[in-house]
């Protein structure tokens, strides 16, 4: 089975849905941010601070090339779509699922998340975050084979929607 790839903005639930989906499908979850942190032995925030965003995007690109070639559920980072070569890779993949949410939902989740430290969402307001989302939205949509609206849905509802689609696609 080809990898199932979750894309979407920060706060869209890629990691949470990815975990649930991977459990249901009995597949390994590859959480890209966690893998980068583990391999480079540095937090994402520290990487941005000491090495810069370009360095992080490069590491993200190399990791995407690696994980895309094997089975599993891939939870990408929200900015995976920024690198042009990643856009190409994702557009050429066929189980790319875009978790699409309204800015209000995303902003609320990001500001309430006390675990993940997101350098690009640090001390920005909802309007600033919306302008970042707007620059990316078309690219998420272009890469997606399935778009799932996440607003007001539970993790299980979203997971079910994806599972049904995957089953249909497999037929
Ligand atoms: C980023 C999203 C983050 C993380 C990094 C950059 C982005 O991942 O990769 O902070 O550019 O949108 P999440 O989408 O999991 O928060």
């Amino acid at each position: 089975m080809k990898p199932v790839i979750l894309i979407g903005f920060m706060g869209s639930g890629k990691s949470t849905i990815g975990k649930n989906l991977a459990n249901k499908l009995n597949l390994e979850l590859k959480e890209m941010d966690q893998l980068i942190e583990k391999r480079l032995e540095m937090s994402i925030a520290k990487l941005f601070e000491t090495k810069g965003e370009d360095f992080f995007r490069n590491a993200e690109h190399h990791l995407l090339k690696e994980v895309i070639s094997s089975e599993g559920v891939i939870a990408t980072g929200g900015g995976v779509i920024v690198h042009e070569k990643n856009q190409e890779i994702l557009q050429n993949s066929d189980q790319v699922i875009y978790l699409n949410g309204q800015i209000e939902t995303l902003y609320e989740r990001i500001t309430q998340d006390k675990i993940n430290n997101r350098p690009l969402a640090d001390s920005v307001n909802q309007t600033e975050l919306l302008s970042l989302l707007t620059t990316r939205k078309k690219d998420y949509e272009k890469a997606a084979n399935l778009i799932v609206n996440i607003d007001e849905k539970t993790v299980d509802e979203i997971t079910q929607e994806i599972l049904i689609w995957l089953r249909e696609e497999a037929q």
Side-chain angles (χ1 to χ4, degrees):
M1 190 183 170
K2 288 177 188 159
V4 178
I5 309 154
L6 300 178
I7 63 169
F9 203 63
M10 294 174 267
S12 60
K14 301 174 295 293
S15 304
T16 313
I17 305 292
K19 199 169 162 194
N20 208 21
L21 200 56
N23 276 339
K24 296 259 174 4
L25 292 169
N26 207 15
L27 290 172
E28 186 188 342
L29 171 69
K30 296 164 187 172
E31 217 281 343
M32 290 185 60
D33 283 346
Q34 273 180 21
L35 284 171
I36 292 172
E37 288 184 328
K38 200 167 155 198
R39 290 186 187 180
L40 299 180
E41 297 178 342
M42 207 183 273
S43 69
I44 303 287
K46 199 88 195 144
L47 270 172
F48 267 73
E49 189 191 318
T50 59
K51 309 254 184 195
E53 182 173 351
D54 285 353
F55 179 91
F56 172 76
R57 296 292 172 217
N58 224 23
E60 194 176 38
H61 169 58
H62 285 287
L63 181 62
L64 181 67
K65 277 202 295 189
E66 181 192 318
V67 292
I68 205 101
S69 60
S70 57
E71 199 178 69
V73 175
I74 305 172
T76 61
V80 76
I81 206 73
V82 171
H83 200 301
E84 266 185 40
K85 286 187 186 152
N86 289 350
Q87 294 175 13
E88 208 178 300
I89 292 173
L90 293 168
Q91 284 166 22
N92 289 323
S93 304
D94 45 21
Q95 294 190 126
V96 178
I97 299 157
Y98 170 33
L99 303 180
N100 175 46
Q102 299 283 336
I103 191 62
E104 291 80 8
T105 310
L106 302 170
Y107 185 71
E108 193 185 329
R109 289 196 190 173
I110 292 168
T111 46
Q112 281 178 6
D113 185 346
K114 303 286 173 250
I115 298 168
N116 296 300
N117 189 339
R118 299 177 166 102
L120 297 182
D122 210 17
S123 55
V124 295
N125 62 32
Q126 189 174 301
T127 312
E128 288 162 330
L129 209 63
L130 175 60
S131 71
L132 182 61
L133 173 61
T134 308
T135 63
R136 294 178 176 177
K137 203 167 170 53
K138 275 212 176 68
D139 293 321
Y140 289 135
E141 289 170 353
K142 209 164 156 193
N145 302 104
L146 172 70
I147 300 177
V148 179
N149 293 320
I150 56 142
D151 301 291
E152 284 156 38
K153 286 184 192 157
T154 65
V155 170
D156 280 332
E157 283 169 342
I158 297 167
T159 307
Q160 272 311 315
E161 221 174 297
I162 298 173
L163 286 171
I164 291 168
W165 180 80
L166 286 171
R167 247 176 257 135
E168 283 169 5
E169 284 296 292
Q171 281 170 5

